[in-house]
Amino acid sequence: MTVAESDADAAELDLLTDTMRKTLNSATGAELDAALRGLGWPDLLDDLPEHAVPLLFRLLGETGAHACVLLDVLDHADGGAGSAPRALPFAGGKWVLWERDGTAGGSVDEELPLRETSTGTALSAPALAQGRRALAWWLLGTGRTMLTLAREHVTQRSQFGRPLSSFQAVRHRLAETFVALDGAEAALRHTEGELGALLGKAAAGQAALTAARHCQQVLGGIGFTAEHDLQRHVRRTLVLDGLLGSARELTREAGAFVRANGAAPRLANL
């Protein structure tokens, strides 16, 4: 690939990113599903999944929008396109049904079309791996948005005559959040295979939970109010972390794998 071709590809990706961001900022739920189909999301998933999935799911986290694109990823991994609701494994041995019609459910995040169901069918290994990668990007987008909200708050507010951003405790919490998110993204970008997807989802879930905890602490009382945007992202994090295995469960699963095999495979060439 020449430099000119590389620059052209980068420009096209930037244009796609801007277009998708505008779309996600203007629609959510079933309306967003329709808009994404109009943008060619099914074709992107077929032709450029390595670019389309991280881009779209990161933007879902950034904007706070939601769509049934996780189901599209699972169906694509299984070699077909589905139209029915799908039962997904959730933390604690539970199952949740993701409704394709976008009807709001009764989960912690009331915007998502999820409701608890009694049973489900285990996902295939490829679908589980691709689903975990997609959710990991969604979690990272949500985590980075929470960090942005907290950073804006501490640069605009003062206490005892000093900017909140000047206090060491505040700076340490935000720095720890930043490192956790960057570390999780590095793991997600450089690991491959089913075990890599498991570890990437675990790292992203833990990083987003760290962001929720620290950013809520930094925002203080306003961070606990339903009116502030942070709460929306905190609720989204709690649900996304539980889908297809929580950070805690996946970490235990990875430990059991290493114990059973007596070694850990090389997941990335660093």
Side-chain angles (χ1 to χ4, degrees):
M1 179 182 292
T2 66
V3 173
E5 289 173 332
S6 178
D7 290 343
D9 288 344
E12 290 178 0
L13 186 58
D14 288 342
L15 178 60
L16 178 61
T17 301
D18 290 341
T19 302
M20 280 198 168
R21 181 178 285 111
K22 290 176 182 177
T23 302
L24 268 66
N25 274 319
S26 61
T28 192
E31 184 181 354
L32 178 55
D33 280 310
L36 289 173
R37 286 194 296 272
L39 285 176
W41 158 246
D43 294 330
L44 288 170
L45 187 56
D46 284 336
D47 300 335
L48 296 168
E50 69 280 5
H51 294 299
V53 170
L55 171 60
L56 177 55
F57 281 83
R58 178 172 52 82
L59 288 175
L60 284 173
E62 176 186 312
T63 60
H66 69 85
C68 290
V69 287
L70 174 63
L71 304 188
D72 296 336
V73 170
L74 298 177
D75 291 338
H76 182 267
D78 284 337
S83 59
R86 191 159 186 170
L88 305 177
F90 197 80
K94 297 180 180 179
W95 292 86
V96 293
L97 195 66
W98 191 304
E99 303 280 4
R100 275 195 176 272
D101 62 5
T103 303
S107 67
V108 171
D109 185 343
E110 296 178 352
E111 294 181 39
L112 293 179
L114 295 175
R115 60 183 176 83
E116 191 169 342
T117 186
S118 58
T119 186
T121 303
L123 300 179
S124 67
L128 187 59
Q130 294 305 315
R132 282 172 172 170
R133 286 191 177 277
L135 286 171
W137 284 111
W138 199 342
L139 282 160
L140 288 177
T142 298
R144 291 196 183 281
T145 299
M146 288 189 284
L147 179 59
T148 297
L149 290 171
R151 187 171 61 240
E152 289 175 349
H153 177 80
V154 300
T155 56
Q156 296 169 359
R157 300 296 182 92
S158 298
Q159 192 173 56
F160 306 118
R162 295 169 54 191
L164 284 176
S165 57
S166 68
F167 290 95
Q168 190 176 55
V170 169
R171 296 163 71 95
H172 282 183
R173 286 186 182 275
L174 297 185
E176 184 178 336
T177 299
F178 179 83
V179 170
L181 291 168
D182 261 24
E185 181 168 339
L188 192 56
R189 287 188 182 279
H190 292 94
T191 57
E192 299 178 350
E194 295 169 16
L195 181 60
L198 181 153
L199 294 174
K201 170 68 161 57
Q206 187 58 55
L209 291 171
T210 297
R213 183 174 68 254
H214 285 338
C215 293
Q216 192 163 58
Q217 184 70 29
V218 166
L219 279 159
I222 195 173
F224 288 87
T225 63
E227 290 79 8
H228 197 279
D229 283 345
L230 180 73
Q231 280 301 308
R232 187 182 187 193
H233 293 286
V234 170
R235 293 194 298 270
R236 186 67 44 88
T237 294
L238 294 174
V239 174
L240 296 181
D241 176 60
L243 275 174
L244 308 190
S246 67
R248 179 175 295 181
E249 290 172 333
L250 296 181
T251 300
R252 286 201 300 264
E253 188 175 334
F257 174 89
V258 173
R259 187 172 62 249
N261 290 274
R266 182 184 293 274
L267 297 173
N269 293 316
L270 301 178

